[in-house]
Coordinates of all heavy atoms in Angstrom, one line a residue:
V22 N 0.9 -1.2 0.0 CA 0.0 0.0 0.0 C 0.9 1.2 0.0 O 0.6 2.2 -0.7 CB -1.0 0.0 1.2 CG1 -1.8 1.3 1.2 CG2 -1.9 -1.2 1.1
K23 N 1.9 1.2 0.8 CA 2.9 2.3 0.8 C 3.5 2.6 -0.6 O 3.6 3.7 -1.0 CB 4.0 2.0 1.8 CG 5.1 3.0 1.8 CD 6.2 2.6 2.8 CE 7.5 3.4 2.6 NZ 8.6 3.0 3.5
F24 N 3.8 1.5 -1.3 CA 4.3 1.6 -2.6 C 3.4 2.4 -3.5 O 3.8 3.3 -4.3 CB 4.6 0.1 -3.2 CG 5.2 0.1 -4.5 CD1 6.6 0.1 -4.7 CD2 4.4 0.1 -5.7 CE1 7.2 0.1 -5.9 CE2 5.0 0.1 -6.9 CZ 6.4 0.0 -7.0
F25 N 2.1 2.0 -3.5 CA 1.1 2.6 -4.3 C 0.9 4.0 -4.0 O 0.6 4.9 -4.8 CB -0.2 1.8 -4.4 CG -0.1 0.6 -5.2 CD1 -0.1 -0.7 -4.6 CD2 0.1 0.6 -6.6 CE1 0.1 -1.8 -5.3 CE2 0.2 -0.5 -7.3 CZ 0.2 -1.8 -6.7
I26 N 1.0 4.3 -2.6 CA 0.8 5.7 -2.2 C 2.0 6.6 -2.7 O 1.8 7.7 -3.2 CB 0.7 5.8 -0.7 CG1 -0.6 5.2 -0.2 CG2 0.8 7.2 -0.2 CD1 -0.8 5.0 1.3
I27 N 3.2 6.0 -2.6 CA 4.4 6.8 -3.2 C 4.2 7.1 -4.7 O 4.4 8.2 -5.1 CB 5.6 6.0 -2.9 CG1 6.0 5.9 -1.5 CG2 6.8 6.5 -3.8 CD1 7.1 4.9 -1.1
V28 N 3.7 6.1 -5.4 CA 3.5 6.3 -6.9 C 2.5 7.3 -7.1 O 2.6 8.2 -8.0 CB 3.2 4.9 -7.6 CG1 2.8 5.2 -9.1 CG2 4.4 4.0 -7.5
F29 N 1.3 7.3 -6.3 CA 0.3 8.2 -6.5 C 0.8 9.6 -6.2 O 0.5 10.6 -7.0 CB -0.9 7.8 -5.6 CG -2.0 8.9 -5.6 CD1 -2.9 9.0 -6.7 CD2 -2.2 9.7 -4.5 CE1 -3.8 10.0 -6.7 CE2 -3.1 10.7 -4.5 CZ -4.0 10.8 -5.6
V30 N 1.4 9.8 -5.1 CA 1.9 11.1 -4.6 C 2.9 11.7 -5.7 O 2.7 12.9 -6.0 CB 2.5 11.1 -3.2 CG1 3.3 12.4 -2.9 CG2 1.5 10.8 -2.2
M31 N 3.8 10.9 -6.2 CA 4.7 11.5 -7.2 C 4.0 11.7 -8.5 O 4.4 12.7 -9.2 CB 5.9 10.4 -7.4 CG 6.8 10.5 -6.3 SD 7.5 12.1 -5.9 CE 8.5 12.4 -7.4
T32 N 3.0 11.0 -8.8 CA 2.2 11.3 -10.0 C 1.5 12.6 -9.9 O 1.5 13.5 -10.8 CB 1.2 10.2 -10.3 OG1 1.9 8.9 -10.4 CG2 0.4 10.4 -11.6
V33 N 0.9 12.9 -8.7 CA 0.4 14.2 -8.4 C 1.4 15.3 -8.5 O 1.2 16.4 -9.0 CB -0.4 14.2 -7.0 CG1 -0.8 15.6 -6.6 CG2 -1.6 13.3 -7.1
A34 N 2.6 15.0 -7.9 CA 3.7 15.9 -8.0 C 4.1 16.3 -9.5 O 4.4 17.4 -9.8 CB 4.9 15.4 -7.3
G35 N 4.0 15.2 -10.4 CA 4.2 15.5 -11.8 C 3.2 16.4 -12.3 O 3.5 17.3 -13.1
L36 N 1.9 16.3 -12.0 CA 0.8 17.1 -12.4 C 1.1 18.6 -11.8 O 0.7 19.6 -12.5 CB -0.5 16.7 -12.0 CG -1.1 15.5 -12.9 CD1 -2.4 15.0 -12.3 CD2 -1.2 15.9 -14.3
W37 N 1.6 18.7 -10.7 CA 1.9 20.0 -10.1 C 2.9 20.8 -11.0 O 2.7 22.0 -11.2 CB 2.6 19.9 -8.7 CG 2.9 21.2 -8.1 CD1 2.1 22.0 -7.4 CD2 4.2 21.9 -8.2 NE1 2.8 23.1 -7.0 CE2 4.1 23.1 -7.5 CE3 5.4 21.6 -8.8 CZ2 5.1 24.0 -7.4 CZ3 6.4 22.4 -8.7 CH2 6.3 23.6 -8.0
H38 N 3.8 20.1 -11.7 CA 4.8 20.7 -12.6 C 4.1 21.2 -13.9 O 4.6 22.1 -14.5 CB 5.9 19.8 -12.9 CG 6.9 19.6 -11.8 ND1 6.7 18.8 -10.7 CD2 8.0 20.3 -11.6 CE1 7.7 18.9 -9.9 NE2 8.6 19.8 -10.3
G39 N 3.0 20.6 -14.3 CA 2.3 20.9 -15.5 C 1.2 20.0 -15.8 O 1.3 18.8 -15.6
A40 N 0.1 20.5 -16.4 CA -1.0 19.6 -16.7 C -0.9 19.1 -18.1 O -1.6 19.5 -19.0 CB -2.3 20.4 -16.6
S41 N 0.0 18.1 -18.2 CA 0.2 17.4 -19.5 C 0.6 15.9 -19.2 O 1.0 15.6 -18.1 CB 1.2 18.1 -20.3 OG 2.5 17.9 -19.8
W42 N 0.4 15.1 -20.2 CA 0.7 13.7 -20.1 C 2.2 13.5 -19.7 O 2.6 12.6 -19.0 CB 0.3 13.0 -21.4 CG -1.1 12.7 -21.5 CD1 -2.0 13.4 -22.3 CD2 -1.9 11.8 -20.7 NE1 -3.2 12.9 -22.1 CE2 -3.3 12.0 -21.1 CE3 -1.6 10.9 -19.7 CZ2 -4.3 11.3 -20.5 CZ3 -2.7 10.2 -19.1 CH2 -4.0 10.4 -19.5
T43 N 3.1 14.4 -20.3 CA 4.5 14.2 -20.1 C 4.8 14.3 -18.6 O 5.6 13.5 -18.0 CB 5.3 15.1 -20.9 OG1 4.9 16.5 -20.7 CG2 5.3 14.8 -22.3
F44 N 4.2 15.3 -17.9 CA 4.4 15.5 -16.5 C 3.8 14.4 -15.7 O 4.4 14.0 -14.7 CB 4.0 16.9 -16.0 CG 4.8 18.0 -16.5 CD1 4.3 18.9 -17.4 CD2 6.1 18.2 -16.1 CE1 5.1 20.0 -17.9 CE2 6.9 19.2 -16.6 CZ 6.4 20.1 -17.4
L45 N 2.6 13.9 -16.1 CA 2.0 12.8 -15.4 C 2.9 11.6 -15.5 O 3.1 10.9 -14.5 CB 0.6 12.6 -16.0 CG -0.2 11.5 -15.4 CD1 -0.9 12.1 -14.1 CD2 -1.3 11.0 -16.3
I46 N 3.4 11.3 -16.7 CA 4.2 10.1 -16.8 C 5.6 10.3 -16.1 O 6.0 9.3 -15.4 CB 4.5 9.9 -18.3 CG1 3.2 9.4 -19.0 CG2 5.6 8.8 -18.6 CD1 3.2 9.5 -20.5
W47 N 6.1 11.5 -16.1 CA 7.3 11.8 -15.4 C 7.2 11.5 -13.9 O 8.0 10.8 -13.2 CB 7.7 13.3 -15.6 CG 8.9 13.8 -14.8 CD1 10.2 13.7 -15.1 CD2 8.8 14.4 -13.5 NE1 10.9 14.3 -14.1 CE2 10.1 14.7 -13.1 CE3 7.7 14.7 -12.7 CZ2 10.4 15.3 -11.9 CZ3 8.0 15.4 -11.5 CH2 9.3 15.6 -11.1
G48 N 6.1 12.0 -13.3 CA 5.8 11.7 -11.9 C 5.5 10.3 -11.6 O 6.0 9.7 -10.6
F49 N 4.8 9.6 -12.5 CA 4.6 8.1 -12.3 C 5.9 7.4 -12.3 O 6.1 6.5 -11.5 CB 3.6 7.7 -13.4 CG 3.3 6.2 -13.4 CD1 2.4 5.7 -12.4 CD2 3.9 5.3 -14.2 CE1 2.2 4.3 -12.4 CE2 3.7 4.0 -14.1 CZ 2.8 3.5 -13.2
I50 N 6.8 7.7 -13.2 CA 8.1 7.0 -13.4 C 8.9 7.2 -12.1 O 9.5 6.3 -11.5 CB 8.8 7.4 -14.6 CG1 8.1 6.7 -15.8 CG2 10.2 6.9 -14.6 CD1 8.6 7.3 -17.2
H51 N 8.9 8.5 -11.7 CA 9.7 8.8 -10.4 C 9.0 8.1 -9.2 O 9.8 7.7 -8.3 CB 9.8 10.3 -10.2 CG 10.9 10.9 -11.0 ND1 12.1 11.1 -10.5 CD2 11.0 11.4 -12.3 CE1 12.9 11.6 -11.4 NE2 12.2 11.8 -12.5
G52 N 7.7 8.0 -9.2 CA 7.1 7.2 -8.1 C 7.5 5.8 -8.1 O 7.8 5.2 -7.1
L53 N 7.5 5.2 -9.3 CA 8.0 3.8 -9.5 C 9.5 3.6 -9.0 O 9.8 2.7 -8.2 CB 7.9 3.3 -10.9 CG 6.5 3.0 -11.5 CD1 6.5 2.6 -12.9 CD2 5.8 1.9 -10.6
Y54 N 10.3 4.5 -9.4 CA 11.7 4.5 -8.9 C 11.8 4.6 -7.4 O 12.6 3.9 -6.8 CB 12.5 5.7 -9.5 CG 12.8 5.6 -11.0 CD1 13.1 6.7 -11.8 CD2 12.9 4.3 -11.7 CE1 13.4 6.6 -13.1 CE2 13.2 4.2 -13.0 CZ 13.4 5.4 -13.7 OH 13.8 5.3 -15.1
L55 N 11.0 5.5 -6.8 CA 11.1 5.7 -5.4 C 10.5 4.4 -4.7 O 11.2 3.9 -3.7 CB 10.2 6.9 -4.9 CG 10.8 8.2 -5.1 CD1 9.8 9.3 -5.0 CD2 11.9 8.4 -4.1
G56 N 9.4 3.9 -5.2 CA 8.9 2.7 -4.6 C 9.8 1.5 -4.7 O 10.0 0.7 -3.7
L57 N 10.4 1.3 -5.9 CA 11.4 0.2 -6.1 C 12.6 0.4 -5.2 O 13.2 -0.6 -4.7 CB 11.8 0.1 -7.6 CG 10.6 -0.4 -8.5 CD1 11.0 -0.3 -9.9 CD2 10.2 -1.8 -8.1
T58 N 13.1 1.6 -5.0 CA 14.2 1.9 -4.1 C 13.8 1.5 -2.7 O 14.7 0.9 -2.0 CB 14.7 3.3 -4.3 OG1 15.0 3.6 -5.6 CG2 15.9 3.6 -3.4
H59 N 12.7 1.9 -2.3 CA 12.2 1.5 -0.9 C 12.2 0.0 -0.8 O 12.6 -0.6 0.3 CB 10.9 2.1 -0.6 CG 10.9 3.5 -0.1 ND1 11.4 3.9 1.1 CD2 10.6 4.7 -0.8 CE1 11.3 5.2 1.3 NE2 10.9 5.7 0.1
L60 N 11.7 -0.7 -1.9 CA 11.7 -2.2 -1.9 C 13.1 -2.8 -1.7 O 13.3 -3.7 -0.9 CB 11.0 -2.6 -3.1 CG 10.8 -4.1 -3.3 CD1 9.7 -4.6 -2.3 CD2 10.3 -4.5 -4.7
I61 N 14.0 -2.3 -2.5 CA 15.3 -2.8 -2.5 C 16.0 -2.6 -1.1 O 16.6 -3.5 -0.6 CB 16.2 -2.1 -3.6 CG1 15.7 -2.6 -5.0 CG2 17.7 -2.3 -3.4 CD1 16.3 -1.7 -6.1
I62 N 15.8 -1.4 -0.6 CA 16.3 -1.1 0.8 C 15.7 -2.0 1.8 O 16.4 -2.6 2.7 CB 16.1 0.4 1.2 CG1 17.0 1.3 0.3 CG2 16.3 0.6 2.7 CD1 16.7 2.7 0.4
K63 N 14.4 -2.3 1.7 CA 13.7 -3.2 2.7 C 14.3 -4.5 2.6 O 14.6 -5.2 3.6 CB 12.2 -3.2 2.4 CG 11.4 -4.2 3.2 CD 10.0 -4.2 2.8 CE 9.3 -5.3 3.6 NZ 8.0 -5.0 4.0

C-alpha cells in the first residue's frame, strides 16, 4: 500500500509541474523509482 501511495503522490507531483501527459508520466516513473528503491532497501 505504501508503494502505491508513493507512486500516487509522485504522479500528483508530476501534475503540479504541469497539466500534461509528459508531467503525469514523469511523476509516475519517479514514483515507481522511489517505490522500487524502498523495496530494495527493505
Side-chain angles (χ1 to χ4, degrees):
V22 176
K23 175 184 170 181
F24 183 91
F25 287 109
I26 292 172
I27 290 169
V28 172
F29 173 74
V30 169
M31 285 305 293
T32 303
V33 171
L36 285 175
W37 178 87
H38 284 82
S41 71
W42 285 107
T43 53
F44 289 114
L45 185 79
I46 293 167
W47 173 89
F49 179 77
I50 290 170
H51 276 266
L53 285 177
Y54 287 156
L55 282 165
L57 291 172
T58 304
H59 279 286
L60 182 69
I61 290 167
I62 290 170
K63 176 183 171 143

